[in-house]
Amino acid sequence: MRGDLHTHSDWSDGGSPIREMAETARSLGHEYIALTDHSPRLKVANGLSADRLRRQLDAVAELNEELAPFRILTGIEVDILDDGSLDQDPALLERLDVVVASVHSKLRMDRVAMTRRMVAAVADPRVNVLGHLTGRIVKAGGRRGGLRPESEFDAALVLDACAAYDVAVEINSRPERQDPPKRLLRPAVEAGCRFAIDSDAHAPGQLDWQSYGCDRAARCAVPADRVVNTLPVDDLLAWTRAKRS
């Protein structure tokens, strides 16, 4: 693993400054991390407006000059809205290195509507990673408190869309998420999907949670060459930008 494509800072609902997250990731041996704070609709997580995100891009550029050759990739965890559109200015999304798209609202939506919503987001050329596939919480005491059941959708259609549109399925390493479940990881491999093994860290001490996701990937025979954050940064960015060209 060369990097982590899903991390948060105190610009949204993380607990630490960008620099601290980056320096901790570097100390773990990472070559890069993507900073993916939340988008505006997620007010409970202090989601970034377009203006705040632009200011964050300037802050990241300054830090990258200091921390080179380590690289902070510009990014976002953008909400997938009810109709499958994305919760941020499209022109601004075009500027980012990595776009993780996730469902955070109306998780109990009807199965057909949720499938349509997720496939529409996956088909968007700006999306690189589909975050925490089912939205489940399997251990009480996590960041949001209690347990949460999986959203209902046609997994085969969503995974086939990820493969067709070259969107990586996230293996979310947070202990309370363990998302996707193993019963969906194996079909994702069979569908030909790529994967991103991410910590979804909201604090420096959570960055090493990535190892939990690696263990789950190994148990489900996820091929290492299909894990996008095993790529050197230039190859990774060539992949994320290919969809937008």
Side-chain angles (χ1 to χ4, degrees), residues 71-84:
R71 179 84 173 268
I72 304 168
L73 304 179
T74 58
I76 190 170
E77 184 182 13
V78 65
D79 262 28
I80 300 173
L81 302 179
D82 298 355
D83 62 356

PDB file of all heavy atoms in Angstrom, residues 71-84:
ATOM      1  N   ARG A  71       3.063  13.515  -0.841  1.00  0.00           N
ATOM      2  CA  ARG A  71       2.046  14.256  -1.577  1.00  0.00           C
ATOM      3  C   ARG A  71       0.687  14.152  -0.894  1.00  0.00           C
ATOM      4  O   ARG A  71       0.228  13.055  -0.573  1.00  0.00           O
ATOM      5  CB  ARG A  71       1.960  13.695  -2.995  1.00  0.00           C
ATOM      6  CG  ARG A  71       0.944  14.338  -3.904  1.00  0.00           C
ATOM      7  CD  ARG A  71       1.487  15.585  -4.562  1.00  0.00           C
ATOM      8  NE  ARG A  71       0.528  16.076  -5.561  1.00  0.00           N
ATOM      9  CZ  ARG A  71       0.553  15.737  -6.849  1.00  0.00           C
ATOM     10  NH1 ARG A  71       1.512  14.932  -7.303  1.00  0.00           N
ATOM     11  NH2 ARG A  71      -0.346  16.231  -7.691  1.00  0.00           N
ATOM     12  N   ILE A  72       0.078  15.306  -0.649  1.00  0.00           N
ATOM     13  CA  ILE A  72      -1.325  15.350  -0.242  1.00  0.00           C
ATOM     14  C   ILE A  72      -2.136  15.539  -1.516  1.00  0.00           C
ATOM     15  O   ILE A  72      -1.982  16.549  -2.211  1.00  0.00           O
ATOM     16  CB  ILE A  72      -1.614  16.511   0.730  1.00  0.00           C
ATOM     17  CG1 ILE A  72      -0.701  16.448   1.955  1.00  0.00           C
ATOM     18  CG2 ILE A  72      -3.088  16.478   1.154  1.00  0.00           C
ATOM     19  CD1 ILE A  72      -0.745  17.715   2.806  1.00  0.00           C
ATOM     20  N   LEU A  73      -2.962  14.576  -1.850  1.00  0.00           N
ATOM     21  CA  LEU A  73      -3.810  14.678  -3.026  1.00  0.00           C
ATOM     22  C   LEU A  73      -5.076  15.454  -2.682  1.00  0.00           C
ATOM     23  O   LEU A  73      -5.682  15.238  -1.631  1.00  0.00           O
ATOM     24  CB  LEU A  73      -4.174  13.288  -3.546  1.00  0.00           C
ATOM     25  CG  LEU A  73      -3.007  12.362  -3.880  1.00  0.00           C
ATOM     26  CD1 LEU A  73      -3.526  11.010  -4.362  1.00  0.00           C
ATOM     27  CD2 LEU A  73      -2.092  12.983  -4.922  1.00  0.00           C
ATOM     28  N   THR A  74      -5.460  16.368  -3.546  1.00  0.00           N
ATOM     29  CA  THR A  74      -6.700  17.098  -3.319  1.00  0.00           C
ATOM     30  C   THR A  74      -7.876  16.178  -3.590  1.00  0.00           C
ATOM     31  O   THR A  74      -7.849  15.351  -4.505  1.00  0.00           O
ATOM     32  CB  THR A  74      -6.785  18.332  -4.231  1.00  0.00           C
ATOM     33  OG1 THR A  74      -6.703  17.911  -5.599  1.00  0.00           O
ATOM     34  CG2 THR A  74      -5.656  19.301  -3.926  1.00  0.00           C
ATOM     35  N   GLY A  75      -8.904  16.290  -2.771  1.00  0.00           N
ATOM     36  CA  GLY A  75     -10.029  15.383  -2.932  1.00  0.00           C
ATOM     37  C   GLY A  75     -11.245  15.827  -2.159  1.00  0.00           C
ATOM     38  O   GLY A  75     -11.292  16.915  -1.570  1.00  0.00           O
ATOM     39  N   ILE A  76     -12.237  14.969  -2.172  1.00  0.00           N
ATOM     40  CA  ILE A  76     -13.494  15.221  -1.467  1.00  0.00           C
ATOM     41  C   ILE A  76     -14.203  13.889  -1.265  1.00  0.00           C
ATOM     42  O   ILE A  76     -14.049  12.969  -2.074  1.00  0.00           O
ATOM     43  CB  ILE A  76     -14.392  16.190  -2.279  1.00  0.00           C
ATOM     44  CG1 ILE A  76     -15.587  16.668  -1.463  1.00  0.00           C
ATOM     45  CG2 ILE A  76     -14.872  15.522  -3.571  1.00  0.00           C
ATOM     46  CD1 ILE A  76     -16.362  17.804  -2.144  1.00  0.00           C
ATOM     47  N   GLU A  77     -14.948  13.774  -0.182  1.00  0.00           N
ATOM     48  CA  GLU A  77     -15.959  12.727  -0.073  1.00  0.00           C
ATOM     49  C   GLU A  77     -17.285  13.410  -0.356  1.00  0.00           C
ATOM     50  O   GLU A  77     -17.854  14.070   0.517  1.00  0.00           O
ATOM     51  CB  GLU A  77     -15.970  12.044   1.292  1.00  0.00           C
ATOM     52  CG  GLU A  77     -16.966  10.892   1.314  1.00  0.00           C
ATOM     53  CD  GLU A  77     -17.086  10.182   2.649  1.00  0.00           C
ATOM     54  OE1 GLU A  77     -16.589  10.699   3.664  1.00  0.00           O
ATOM     55  OE2 GLU A  77     -17.702   9.101   2.671  1.00  0.00           O
ATOM     56  N   VAL A  78     -17.737  13.298  -1.579  1.00  0.00           N
ATOM     57  CA  VAL A  78     -18.905  14.039  -2.027  1.00  0.00           C
ATOM     58  C   VAL A  78     -20.161  13.212  -1.806  1.00  0.00           C
ATOM     59  O   VAL A  78     -20.193  12.007  -2.083  1.00  0.00           O
ATOM     60  CB  VAL A  78     -18.749  14.455  -3.510  1.00  0.00           C
ATOM     61  CG1 VAL A  78     -18.700  13.241  -4.434  1.00  0.00           C
ATOM     62  CG2 VAL A  78     -19.848  15.399  -3.936  1.00  0.00           C
ATOM     63  N   ASP A  79     -21.195  13.861  -1.277  1.00  0.00           N
ATOM     64  CA  ASP A  79     -22.467  13.178  -1.065  1.00  0.00           C
ATOM     65  C   ASP A  79     -23.121  12.837  -2.400  1.00  0.00           C
ATOM     66  O   ASP A  79     -23.149  13.664  -3.319  1.00  0.00           O
ATOM     67  CB  ASP A  79     -23.412  14.082  -0.272  1.00  0.00           C
ATOM     68  CG  ASP A  79     -23.416  13.751   1.202  1.00  0.00           C
ATOM     69  OD1 ASP A  79     -22.382  13.259   1.686  1.00  0.00           O
ATOM     70  OD2 ASP A  79     -24.445  13.998   1.869  1.00  0.00           O
ATOM     71  N   ILE A  80     -23.657  11.631  -2.476  1.00  0.00           N
ATOM     72  CA  ILE A  80     -24.513  11.254  -3.597  1.00  0.00           C
ATOM     73  C   ILE A  80     -25.927  11.694  -3.243  1.00  0.00           C
ATOM     74  O   ILE A  80     -26.525  11.194  -2.284  1.00  0.00           O
ATOM     75  CB  ILE A  80     -24.464   9.735  -3.846  1.00  0.00           C
ATOM     76  CG1 ILE A  80     -23.032   9.288  -4.166  1.00  0.00           C
ATOM     77  CG2 ILE A  80     -25.419   9.354  -4.967  1.00  0.00           C
ATOM     78  CD1 ILE A  80     -22.869   7.780  -4.268  1.00  0.00           C
ATOM     79  N   LEU A  81     -26.455  12.646  -3.984  1.00  0.00           N
ATOM     80  CA  LEU A  81     -27.785  13.175  -3.700  1.00  0.00           C
ATOM     81  C   LEU A  81     -28.863  12.170  -4.116  1.00  0.00           C
ATOM     82  O   LEU A  81     -28.571  11.138  -4.722  1.00  0.00           O
ATOM     83  CB  LEU A  81     -27.962  14.514  -4.404  1.00  0.00           C
ATOM     84  CG  LEU A  81     -26.926  15.589  -4.011  1.00  0.00           C
ATOM     85  CD1 LEU A  81     -27.170  16.882  -4.776  1.00  0.00           C
ATOM     86  CD2 LEU A  81     -26.938  15.841  -2.507  1.00  0.00           C
ATOM     87  N   ASP A  82     -30.103  12.486  -3.789  1.00  0.00           N
ATOM     88  CA  ASP A  82     -31.185  11.520  -3.967  1.00  0.00           C
ATOM     89  C   ASP A  82     -31.331  11.048  -5.407  1.00  0.00           C
ATOM     90  O   ASP A  82     -31.732   9.902  -5.666  1.00  0.00           O
ATOM     91  CB  ASP A  82     -32.516  12.124  -3.501  1.00  0.00           C
ATOM     92  CG  ASP A  82     -32.506  12.484  -2.022  1.00  0.00           C
ATOM     93  OD1 ASP A  82     -31.505  12.176  -1.337  1.00  0.00           O
ATOM     94  OD2 ASP A  82     -33.498  13.070  -1.547  1.00  0.00           O
ATOM     95  N   ASP A  83     -31.025  11.928  -6.361  1.00  0.00           N
ATOM     96  CA  ASP A  83     -31.176  11.567  -7.777  1.00  0.00           C
ATOM     97  C   ASP A  83     -29.888  11.050  -8.399  1.00  0.00           C
ATOM     98  O   ASP A  83     -29.817  10.833  -9.615  1.00  0.00           O
ATOM     99  CB  ASP A  83     -31.686  12.773  -8.578  1.00  0.00           C
ATOM    100  CG  ASP A  83     -30.717  13.952  -8.551  1.00  0.00           C
ATOM    101  OD1 ASP A  83     -29.682  13.872  -7.842  1.00  0.00           O
ATOM    102  OD2 ASP A  83     -30.989  14.952  -9.245  1.00  0.00           O
ATOM    103  N   GLY A  84     -28.841  10.855  -7.581  1.00  0.00           N
ATOM    104  CA  GLY A  84     -27.571  10.352  -8.079  1.00  0.00           C
ATOM    105  C   GLY A  84     -26.591  11.431  -8.497  1.00  0.00           C
ATOM    106  O   GLY A  84     -25.454  11.112  -8.866  1.00  0.00           O
TER     107      GLY A  84
END
